[in-house]
């Protein structure tokens, strides 16, 4: 952003709906007060209207463009006290600076009004548009600066006089509370502006536009763009997410590195066109810079200090003479001199110290003199700014595929195409003597996505929605074709520019339908018209990962994004006892391991540690957290891409943030298990440190009461089958985009992290899910067994005690619920002692990988469609049929129970329904005559009566229910 550029924030208060009546007469006279960065604006009052429409634009000046994302825009609605009996609060909203968009990208967004306190009575919503405009500020001539500072032009005095006249009127209006601010100075300034208006009148200047002489702190901030305040509040969470130097590397161990920066050289007796390179030698380690004719290298080399085998460092400069394309073998290298360094005398540097300035050193040589080299040598850690771009000794140097990188998933949208109808289609008739009524359908294409409507007669309407996944930057065109279903020929098509499609954030924004002319080809410039409605849906969250391990639930539209509730710090420390993945120089194995972590749209990839079974990365990364009920996924891979092969997965770890305590560091080792057709194999362990920081417990608790997905998923939901198709489409788009990065994040890596094969049939997963259901029902089964033991007097003292509890519950029925909840409270409090302190991870026992057969694993990893032999397919098909038959029988039994209950009330069996009719009459009279407590007590005693008074055969109600008819006998 240019220094002479100013930014204005435009907030358009459009309307409000369904406000709470507050004037005592069933209406409200609402007005809005908007606060932003110490500036306050007010709208007009709309008298006696619960659905007011303002359509007012309020302008705010953005003082610091760089910190706009951390500002809060607060809008408060009040009932005007001059009209109603009381001045009451109608609601408020708070918008983070991250939702502000540039002019032209704004849209009307409705926000639900929030309470100011627990006892506030608030309802309704408010529609707001907000955007910013950048304007070029006219430069002030130097000779007029003093005059501007001392004297005010007449144009500025006029608004001041108007402000004086309006001051008495403003005193009659209610004084809403000052906007909440994390900066104490802003809060004091806001309260002073409301309680002491006198200074504002004396200076003849509004508070928002009041100019003060710049202080030294303001000058420093304007020159450097940095703030001198050390107070870190919740508004700065977003800025901290990308500032590693500010948060430090406190979750990992510091790794000492020897940094050597070779800048350039000065050679006295050589031609300017002579190519030079520098060489760095530390014991057996030797590396040289790139060869440059201009003698300016500016390269940084980082050596793992613990793996150095010498206490001295030599930097030498070499010339390459006789090098040409015709005779490359004639190259002659000659040393111009060497500079030795004692590693024990090398200075240490730890950020935030400033970078070490390079110095000129004279090259020592017996034959050459007057040659110098500019070098800087220091000892630092992996937190050094130069580490990311430096040549690293533990990751193979400057190989792009082994470097640490941060990736971002593309921003995904749902594109909804509503096909309404067609008109004036120019169809080709098969025969002139016979006019047919063909069936047509519409086919739409967006990139590789293809969807079709149903078939219908010409002239009929569809009104069908086709939903696509669009990724920024968008595909250029959405192609809509009309085809004849009888002969498969295209009637015509139209191309719609995706960039021109309207966007909406909720279901209340109307999208206008449009008519497009169809083009049939070169000989058919006009083939009819098609009526469609198309829009980009910003109110949905596009799922690009399995629903049970999702890491982001925010809506696509930036205007709907709420401020983060906390930070997630992850320290990837190292791995232990990794198994060899590939061979190297014969039978010996090796592993080149790196780690990929995903949370939200941000992917991180650590550097690759080559040829080590116990690598130590010690890298730390940070993410913004918007919802605590999300999952962090960490995967370990063997790097094969730098050799032209595919990467191999070593294991994966999933951690759900809701299982973590806030502001607590978890440092644990997790077992890495990989599943292959040969079975489950433990590949080693990974050590991770994780911390979930939250600045506000209230925001964290409120997140548990809010819906997981945005509002559009509930007011206009997508079908389950449609969601699955869109999810897999989004996965493919993310894989394709990340594979086009440099260096690429392989498709095999993205598939493994996103669980793209979670929908594929697997006997192992089916068994695991079945045992999960059995585990959930086992609690109910235990309760049923306990009740059966009570009623059969297995433990007579316990049964006698239950008799006493039954009498107490009937006599003191008002104490039953308080006793139950108190008992639950005590049980939960006691179980806190046994709460697991280690975050949960994937379990091999729960995944049923230890007892699965090899054939079932081979079936799970089989491709789709399969390429196995017919005998193998027949065996698997027979096994699947046997399993399906048991499921079929179970479903039939469940359906029969419901049908018997339905038959009881539908007179399908007249005698059974007649018995029920008489029984209902008798029970109703019994309840009229006998008190309820007596009936409950009698039923309880009858249920737990002694076995001497009990029959071994099933009870009468069970026998009666089993004799009722079902539809099983009507199935062929």
């Amino acid at each position: 952003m240019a220094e002479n550029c100013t930014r204005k924030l435009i907030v358009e208060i459009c309307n409000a709906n369904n406000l709470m009546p507050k004037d005592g007469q069933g209406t409200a006279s609402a007005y809005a007060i908007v606060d932003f960065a110490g500036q306050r604006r007010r709208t007009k009052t709309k008298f006696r209207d619960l659905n007011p429409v303002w359509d007012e634009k309020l302008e705010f000046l953005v003082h610091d463009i760089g910190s706009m994302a951390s500002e809060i825009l607060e809008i408060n609605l009040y009932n005007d006290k001059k009209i109603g009996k009381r001045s009451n609060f109608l609601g408020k909203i708070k918008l983070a600076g991250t939702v502000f968009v540039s002019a032209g990208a704004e849209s009307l967004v409705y926000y639900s009004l929030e309470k100011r306190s627990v006892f506030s009575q608030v309802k309704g919503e408010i529609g707001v548009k907000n955007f910013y405009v950048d304007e070029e500020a006219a430069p002030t001539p130097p000779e007029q600066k003093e005059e501007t500072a001392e004297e005010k032009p007449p144009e500025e005095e006029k608004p001041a006089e108007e402000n004086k006249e309006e001051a008495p009127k403003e005193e009659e209006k209610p004084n809403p509370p000052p906007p909440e601010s994390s900066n104490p100075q802003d809060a004091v300034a806001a309260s002073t502006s409301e309680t002491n208006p006198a200074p504002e009148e004396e200076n003849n200047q509004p508070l928002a536009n009041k100019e003060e002489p710049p202080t030294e702190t303001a000058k420093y901030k304007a020159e450097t763009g940095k703030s001198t305040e050390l107070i870190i509040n919740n508004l700065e969470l977003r800025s901290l997410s990308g500032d590693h130097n500010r948060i430090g590397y406190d979750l990992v161990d510091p790794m000492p590195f020897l940094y050597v920066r070779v800048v350039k050289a000065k050679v006295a007796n050589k031609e300017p066109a002579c190519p030079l390179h520098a060489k760095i030698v530390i014991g057996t380690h030797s590396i040289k810079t790139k060869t440059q004719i201009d003698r300016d290298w500016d390269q940084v080399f980082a050596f793992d200090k613990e793996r150095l085998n010498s206490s001295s460092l030599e930097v030498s400069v070499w010339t390459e003479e006789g090098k040409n394309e015709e005779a490359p073998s004639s190259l002659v290298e000659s040393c111009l001199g060497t500079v030795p360094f004692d590693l024990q005398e090398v200075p240490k540097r730890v950020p935030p110290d400033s970078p070490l300035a390079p110095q000129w050193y004279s090259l020592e040589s017996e034959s050459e003199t007057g040659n110098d080299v500019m070098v800087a040598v220091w000892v630092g850690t992996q937190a050094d700014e130069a580490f990311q771009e430096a040549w690293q000794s533990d990751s193979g140097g400057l190989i792009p595929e082994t470097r640490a990188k941060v990736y971002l998933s593309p921003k995904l949208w749902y594109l909804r195409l509503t096909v309404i109808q067609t008109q004036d289609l120019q169809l080709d008739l098969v025969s002139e003597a016979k006019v047919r009524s063909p069936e047509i359908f519409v086919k739409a294409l967006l990139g590789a996505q293809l969807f079709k409507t149903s078939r219908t007669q010409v002239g009929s309407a569809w009104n069908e929605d086709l939903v696509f996944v669009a990724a920024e930057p968008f595909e250029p065109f959405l192609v809509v074709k009309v085809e004849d279903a009888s002969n498969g020929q295209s009637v015509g098509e139209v191309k719609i520019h995706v960039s021109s499609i309207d966007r909406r954030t909720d279901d209340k924004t109307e999208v206008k339908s449009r008519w497009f002319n169809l083009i049939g080809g070169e000989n058919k410039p006009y083939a009819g018209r098609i009526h469609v409605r198309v829009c980009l849906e910003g109110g949905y969250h596009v799922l690009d990962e399995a629903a049970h391990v999702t890491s982001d639930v925010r809506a696509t539209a930036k205007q709907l994004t709420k401020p983060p509730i906390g930070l997630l710090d992850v320290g990837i420390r190292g791995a232990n006892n990794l198994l060899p993945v590939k061979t190297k120089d014969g039978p010996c194995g090796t592993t080149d391991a790196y780690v990929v972590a995903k949370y939200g749209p941000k992917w991180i990839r650590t550097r690759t540690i080559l040829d080590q079974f116990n690598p130590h990365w010690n890298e730390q990364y940070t993410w913004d957290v918007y919802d605590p009920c999300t999952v962090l996924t960490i995967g370990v891979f063997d790097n094969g891409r730098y050799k032209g092969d595919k990467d191999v997965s070593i294991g994966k770890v999933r951690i759900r943030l809701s299982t973590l305590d806030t502001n607590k560091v978890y440092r644990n080792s997790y077992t890495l298990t990989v599943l292959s057709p040969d079975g489950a194999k433990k590949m080693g362990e990974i050590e991770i440190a994780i911390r979930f920081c939250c600045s506000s417990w209230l925001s964290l608790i409120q997140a548990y009461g809010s819906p997981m997905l945005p509002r559009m998923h509930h007011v206009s939901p997508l079908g389950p089958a449609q969601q699955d198709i869109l999810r897999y489409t989004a996965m493919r788009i993310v894989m394709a985009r990340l594979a086009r990065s440099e260096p690429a994040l392989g498709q095999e890596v993205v598939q493994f992290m996103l669980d793209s094969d979670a929908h594929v049939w697997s006997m192992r997963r089916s068994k695991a899910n079945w045992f999960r259901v059995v585990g959930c029902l086992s609690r109910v089964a235990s309760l049923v067994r306990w009740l059966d033991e009570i009623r059969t007097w297995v433990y007579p003292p316990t049964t006698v005690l239950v008799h006493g509890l039954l009498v107490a519950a009937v006599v003191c029925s008002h104490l039953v619920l308080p006793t139950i909840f108190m008992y639950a409270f005590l049980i939960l409090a006691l179980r806190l002692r046994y709460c697991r302190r280690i975050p949960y991870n994937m379990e091999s026992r729960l995944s049923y990988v230890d007892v699965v057969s090899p054939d079932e694993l081979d079936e799970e990893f089989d491709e789709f469609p399969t390429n196995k032999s017919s005998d193998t397919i027949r065996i698997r098909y027979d096994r699947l049929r046997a399993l399906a038959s048991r499921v079929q029988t179970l479903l039939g039994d469940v359906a029969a129970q419901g049908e018997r209950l339905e038959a009881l009330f539908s007179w399908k069996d007249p005698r059974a329904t007649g018995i029920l009719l008489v029984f209902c009459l008798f029970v109703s009279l019994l309840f009229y005559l006998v008190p309820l407590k007596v009936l409950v007590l009698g039923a309880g005693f009858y249920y737990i009566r002694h076995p001497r008074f009990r029959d071994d055969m099933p009870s009468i109600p069970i026998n009666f229910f089993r004799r009722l008819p079902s539809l099983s006998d009507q199935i062929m």
Side-chain angles (χ1 to χ4, degrees), residues 256 305 343-350 353 356 377-380:
K305 199 169 183 299
L343 297 185
Q344 297 180 356
E345 302 296 332
V346 173
K348 296 182 179 180
R349 175 186 178 269
V350 179
D353 294 347
L356 188 65
V377 182
W378 72 93
V379 174

Side-chain angles (χ1 to χ4, degrees), residues 477-496:
F477 296 104
L478 170 66
V479 182
V480 181
K481 296 183 179 181
V482 179
E483 293 190 0
D484 191 342
S486 59
N487 54 21
Q489 295 181 357
S490 175
V491 179
E493 68 177 34
V494 60
K495 294 183 177 180
I496 304 174

Side-chain angles (χ1 to χ4, degrees), residues 656-673:
R656 184 170 290 273
L657 270 60
S658 58
T659 61
L660 304 176
D661 292 337
T662 56
N663 304 320
K664 179 180 178 181
V665 177
Y666 293 85
R667 178 179 170 181
N668 302 290
S669 294
Y670 300 90
T671 302
L672 297 173
T673 305

